[in-house]
C-alpha cells in the first residue's frame, strides 16, 4: 500500500518537475519541433535524477518505467503546450497539470501491469 | 585450473557498484522478493547461482541447499560473504566470469540467475557456457529484465541504455531470444512487471 502511494507521489513529482522545467525553457512562439525535442531531453534528465533518487525507497522499475513515460513523453507535450502558449498560464497551473499527468501515467502503467502479469509461455515439459 | 583473460572493465564497474548496491536495491528486493523466492523454490540438485552480487538473493533460496555462487566482482563477493554465512545451507562463493567457467561439462542440475544477463557484456557467450556446464535435461531459472515489446516503452529503454550501461545494466536486452540462441529449450516464461521483468525457465 505504501509502495503504491509512493509510486503515485513519484509520478506526480516527476510530472510537476518536468512541466515546470519545460515552462522555464520553452517560450511562446518557439518552433514546436525544437520545443518538443527540448522537452523530451529535459524530461529525460528530470526523470533520471528523481527516479534514481527515489529508487532505493520505491524500487528501480516501479519508479523508472512510469517516470520515463511521464518525463519524456510528458516533456514533449508540456513543451508543445508552452511553445503555443496553449493553456496553464501560471506556474501553479503548469505544475498541477504536470502532477495530474504523472498520476494518470502511473495509474495507466499499473493497470497495464495487471493485464500483462502472468505466464506468457508454458510448454508443460 | 584454466587461466582466463579477466574482463577488468566489467569487474571494475561492479566493484564500484558494490558500494551502493544494497541501498539501490533495497526496495526492489521488498517488491520483487516474493517472485524471486517463488522462482528460486524450483532449484534442485547441484546448483550454480550466477552473479552473487552482495548476496541479496541468498535469503530467497530454499533452506538446506548446496550452492556455488559466482560473481565477477571481488568487492561484491566480499559483501556477500556474511549473507552466505547466514544462509541455512551451504553457499560457496567463487570469483568467476560466467563466460569462462572452470567447471567441466554436464556439472550442474540447476543454474539460477537474478538480474544477471542485463550486465554480461556478451550474453550469448555466457548463456552458451551455462549450457555447457548444465547436465542434459538440467534447468536454467532466470529472473531478468529485458527490452519491452510495448513500442513507447521500448523506445525509452533504448534511449536510456547508453546511460545505464556506464554504471550498470543494459535495459534493452532480448534475453528470451538469447536463451534460445544459446540452444536452450524454453519451458516457461512469465511476466513479473509489465513485460520488462520476466521469469524465464529453460531446459538444456
Amino acid at each position: 500500500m505504501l509502495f503504491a502511494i509512493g509510486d503515485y507521489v513519484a509520478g506526480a513529482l516527476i510530472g510537476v518537475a518536468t512541466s515546470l522545467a519545460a515552462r522555464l525553457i520553452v517560450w511562446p512562439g518557439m518552433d514546436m519541433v525544437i520545443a518538443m525535442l527540448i522537452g523530451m531531453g529535459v524530461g529525460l534528465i528530470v526523470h533520471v535524477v528523481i527516479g534514481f533518487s527515489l529508487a532505493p525507497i520505491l524500487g528501480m522499475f516501479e519508479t523508472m518505467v512510469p517516470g520515463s513515460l511521464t518525463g519524456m513523453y510528458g516533456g514533449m507535450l508540456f513543451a508543445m503546450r508552452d511553445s503555443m502558449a496553449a493553456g496553464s498560464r501560471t506556474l501553479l497551473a503548469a505544475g498541477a497539470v504536470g502532477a495530474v499527468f504523472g498520476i494518470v501515467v502511473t495509474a495507466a502503467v499499473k493497470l497495464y501491469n495487471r493485464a500483462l502479469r502472468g505466464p506468457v509461455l508454458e510448454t508443460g515439459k | 585450473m584454466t587461466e582466463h583473460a579477466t574482463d577488468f572493465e566489467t569487474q571494475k564497474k561492479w566493484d564500484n557498484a558494490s558500494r551502493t548496491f544494497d541501498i539501490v536495491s533495497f526496495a526492489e528486493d521488498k517488491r520483487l522478493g516474493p517472485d524471486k523466492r517463488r522462482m528460486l523454490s524450483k532449484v534442485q540438485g547441484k546448483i550454480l547461482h550466477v552473479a552473487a552480487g552482495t548476496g541479496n538473493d541468498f535469503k530467497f533460496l530454499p533452506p538446506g541447499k548446496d550452492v556455488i555462487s559466482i560473481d565477477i566482482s571481488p568487492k561484491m563477493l566480499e559483501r556477500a560473504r556474511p549473507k552466505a554465512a547466514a544462509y541455512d545451507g551451504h553457499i560457496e562463493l567463487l570469483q568467476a566470469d560466467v563466460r569462462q567457467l572452470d567447471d567441466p561439462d554436464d556439472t550442474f542440475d540447476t543454474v539460477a540467475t537474478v538480474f544477471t544477463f542485463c550486465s554480461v557484456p556478451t550474453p550469448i557467450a555466457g548463456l552458451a557456457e551455462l549450457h555447457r556446464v548444465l547436465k542434459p535435461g538440467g534447468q536454467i531459472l532466470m529472473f531478468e529484465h529485458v527490452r519491452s515489446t510495448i513500442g513507447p516503452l521500448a523506445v525509452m529503454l533504448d534511449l536510456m541504455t547508453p546511460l545505464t550501461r556506464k554504471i550498470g545494466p543494459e535495459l534493452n536486452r532480448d534475453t528470451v531470444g538469447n536463451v534460445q540462441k544459446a540452444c536452450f529449450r524454453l519451458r516457461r516464461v512469465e511476466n513479473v512487471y509489465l513485460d520488462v521483468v520476466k521469469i524465464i525457465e529453460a531446459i538444456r
Side-chain angles (χ1 to χ4, degrees), chain A residues 1-11 58-59 61-63 65-67 69-70 102-117, chain B residues 31 150 153 192-195:
Chain A
M1 182 64 181
L2 282 177
F3 278 132
I5 294 168
D7 291 341
Y8 286 109
V9 172
L58 290 175
F61 297 101
E62 291 84 350
T63 316
V65 169
L69 296 171
T70 301
I103 289 167
V104 168
V105 168
T106 304
V109 169
K110 281 186 181 293
L111 202 66
Y112 208 24
N113 182 44
R114 276 195 189 187
L116 288 179
R117 204 179 140 85
Chain B
R31 298 187 88 161
I150 305 161
L153 191 50
V192 174
Y193 180 68
L194 296 167
D195 65 345

Side-chain angles (χ1 to χ4, degrees), chain A residues 36-82:
Chain A
M36 288 173 78
L37 288 172
I38 290 172
M40 187 175 76
V42 165
L44 171 73
I45 295 165
V46 165
H47 105 262
V48 166
V49 171
I50 298 178
F52 269 115
S53 310
L54 294 176
I57 51 170
L58 290 175
M60 193 62 82
F61 297 101
E62 291 84 350
T63 316
M64 296 303 274
V65 169
S68 67
L69 296 171
T70 301
M72 294 172 78
Y73 289 109
M76 290 169 80
L77 288 173
F78 302 143
M80 182 167 70
R81 172 196 64 193
D82 292 341

Side-chain angles (χ1 to χ4, degrees), chain A residues 7-40:
Chain A
D7 291 341
Y8 286 109
V9 172
L13 261 178
I14 292 171
V16 169
T18 306
S19 182
L20 295 181
R23 172 58 56 92
L24 293 175
I25 294 170
V26 174
W27 61 85
M30 181 190 268
D31 183 285
M32 193 193 290
V33 176
I34 303 295
M36 288 173 78
L37 288 172
I38 290 172
M40 187 175 76

Side-chain angles (χ1 to χ4, degrees), chain A residues 83-99:
Chain A
S83 72
M84 295 190 296
S88 297
R89 288 186 180 178
T90 63
L91 274 181
L92 186 67
V97 169

